């Protein structure tokens, strides 16, 4: 089945917006120029309400249907880039060294802008569409900041939907699943306290480097021997720092890492056991350990009926055979999870084709995906808010 004709006609214009955003990436909440670009476009489209400064730098616009009062559904796109030096070599590559749209948020923003333009032109629905442009998805919890500013309640949003591109998923295809679709992401910092000495006299030390090594190994037993293998858990120690010389055993070693889970009970268990394993392993080596465990984004949880609905809409755009409802969950995290905790909805993936992976310096959003994304948003609005 083809995408909407108007969406196909818009591709070149929307790709121009996308490439402009790609050239001028901004990170976290410092998306002032991006937000201004978005707000100016929404105003030019004739949206009924355009609000800025939501969650510091977020933008929310309301488009009212011409067929009368009804519910309001919310569609969200993220605007921020990553602190990465781009190596894509594209003509529209980042003009700001050390910042790049290496996750495709420029494409997400452009697709939702395209849909907003279409919906503002046609208004072929009953009720309202809230288009939500969010800062700081990449580690800043921008979704939570916007929620805390009260936009969901203010505009009586009843459902929320999100979308993310997926390299490796063929162009024109979609993937989704019910329940846990992306993981909760927690972080930890460990300080191992020992007693330093000359490296030639290790017997006079309480070696925090050796202790740290045993902690790394012991932590893997939480996954391999203490967790039901059918309940996903990742425990990764990603950094170890200790000492400054090759002949001195230091007093302390600092470690850091992440824990990823798909179920609340696994999350609780992992936090408890990590602290116990770290402290017991340190004690066994005569050292002590401090653990700072921080909970990050919760599990991104797709609601059953909304997932069925989103998949059916994607099937209208791409054909039912082009929608995978049995995708494996991602162990990456997504702060759209906060919105799904407040309202029912679903998070879907759209094919980016055979491109570099997300968060890769060579990545670029595939502009051929734009008409599919625009068509998905428009069809979702017109179907959810049918008269």
């Amino acid at each position: 089945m083809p995408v909407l004709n108007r969406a196909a006609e818009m591709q070149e214009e929307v790709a121009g917006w996308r490439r402009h955003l790609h050239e001028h990436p901004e990170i976290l909440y410092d998306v002032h120029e991006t937000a201004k670009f978005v707000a100016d476009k929404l105003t030019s489209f004739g949206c009924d309400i355009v609000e800025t400064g939501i969650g510091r730098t977020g933008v929310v616009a309301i488009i009212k249907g011409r067929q009368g009062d009804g519910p309001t559904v919310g569609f969200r796109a993220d605007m921020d880039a990553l602190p990465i030096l781009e190596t894509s070599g594209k003509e529209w590559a980042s003009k700001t060294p050390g910042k790049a749209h290496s996750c495709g948020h420029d494409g997400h923003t452009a697709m939702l802008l395209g849909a907003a333009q279409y919906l503002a032109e046609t208004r072929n629905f009953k009720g309202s569409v809230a288009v939500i442009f969010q800062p700081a998805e990449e580690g800043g919890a921008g979704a939570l900041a916007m929620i805390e500013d009260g936009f969901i309640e203010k505009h009586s949003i009843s459902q929320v939907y999100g979308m993310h591109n997926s390299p490796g998923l063929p162009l024109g295809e979609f993937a989704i699943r019910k329940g846990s679709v992306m993981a909760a992401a927690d972080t930890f910092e460990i300080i191992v306290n020992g007693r330093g000495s000359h490296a030639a006299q290790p017997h006079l030390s309480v070696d925090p480097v050796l202790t740290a090594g045993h902690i790394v190994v012991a932590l893997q037993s939480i996954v391999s021997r203490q967790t039901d293998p059918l309940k996903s858990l990742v425990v990764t120690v990603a950094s170890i720092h200790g000492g400054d010389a090759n002949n001195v055993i230091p007093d302390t070693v600092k470690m850091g890492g992440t824990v990823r889970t798909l179920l609340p009970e696994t999350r609780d268990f992992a936090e408890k056991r990590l602290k116990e394993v770290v402290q017991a392993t340190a004690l066994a080596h005569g050292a002590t350990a401090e653990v700072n465990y921080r909970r990050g984004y919760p599990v991104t949880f797709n609601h059953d009926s909304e997932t069925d609905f989103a998949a059916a809409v994607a099937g209208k755009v791409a054909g039912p055979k082009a929608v995978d409802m049995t995708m494996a969950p991602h162990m990456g995290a997504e702060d759209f999870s906060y919105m799904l905790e407040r309202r029912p909805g679903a998070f879907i993936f759209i094919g980016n084709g055979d491109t570099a992976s997300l968060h890769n310096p060579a990545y670029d959003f595939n502009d051929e995906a734009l008409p599919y994304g625009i068509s998905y948003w428009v069809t979702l609005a017109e179907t959810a808010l049918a008269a």
Side-chain angles (χ1 to χ4, degrees), residues 133-146:
F133 295 87
Q134 179 209 307
E137 190 280 326
E138 297 289 357
L144 183 59
M146 292 188 75

Side-chain angles (χ1 to χ4, degrees), residues 111-192:
M111 287 189 290
L112 190 54
L113 280 175
Q117 183 179 36
Y118 186 114
L119 292 169
E121 290 173 354
T122 59
R123 299 179 184 266
N124 185 30
F125 52 91
K126 182 178 182 179
S128 298
V129 174
V131 287
I132 305 157
F133 295 87
Q134 179 209 307
E137 190 280 326
E138 297 289 357
L144 183 59
M146 292 188 75
I147 289 167
E148 290 175 343
D149 268 358
F151 83 95
I152 290 178
E153 293 78 15
K154 178 179 179 179
H155 297 295
S156 301
I157 297 172
S158 59
Q159 295 179 333
V160 289
Y161 293 90
M163 179 164 54
H164 204 293
N165 77 95
S166 181
L169 183 65
L171 187 70
E173 294 190 11
F174 293 85
I176 195 168
R177 66 177 284 119
K178 294 180 180 179
S180 300
V181 66
M182 296 189 75
D186 301 334
T187 59
F188 59 84
E189 293 178 352
I190 301 166
I191 300 176
V192 181

Side-chain angles (χ1 to χ4, degrees), residues 287-333:
T288 61
E290 305 166 31
V291 181
N292 180 13
Y293 193 100
R294 295 188 299 273
R295 292 204 170 195
Y297 296 170
V299 172
T300 304
F301 190 89
N302 279 344
H303 299 253
D304 283 0
S305 60
E306 288 73 20
T307 301
D308 285 334
F309 176 67
V313 168
K316 290 182 180 180
V317 173
K321 293 183 179 180
V323 182
D324 178 10
M325 288 195 68
T326 62
M327 63 166 283
H330 286 286
M331 297 309 287

Side-chain angles (χ1 to χ4, degrees), residues 53-73:
I54 311 302
R56 294 166 59 175
T57 48
V59 181
V60 176
I62 303 298
I63 306 166
K64 297 179 180 179
R66 67 174 76 253
Q67 299 180 22
D69 294 334
T72 301
V73 295

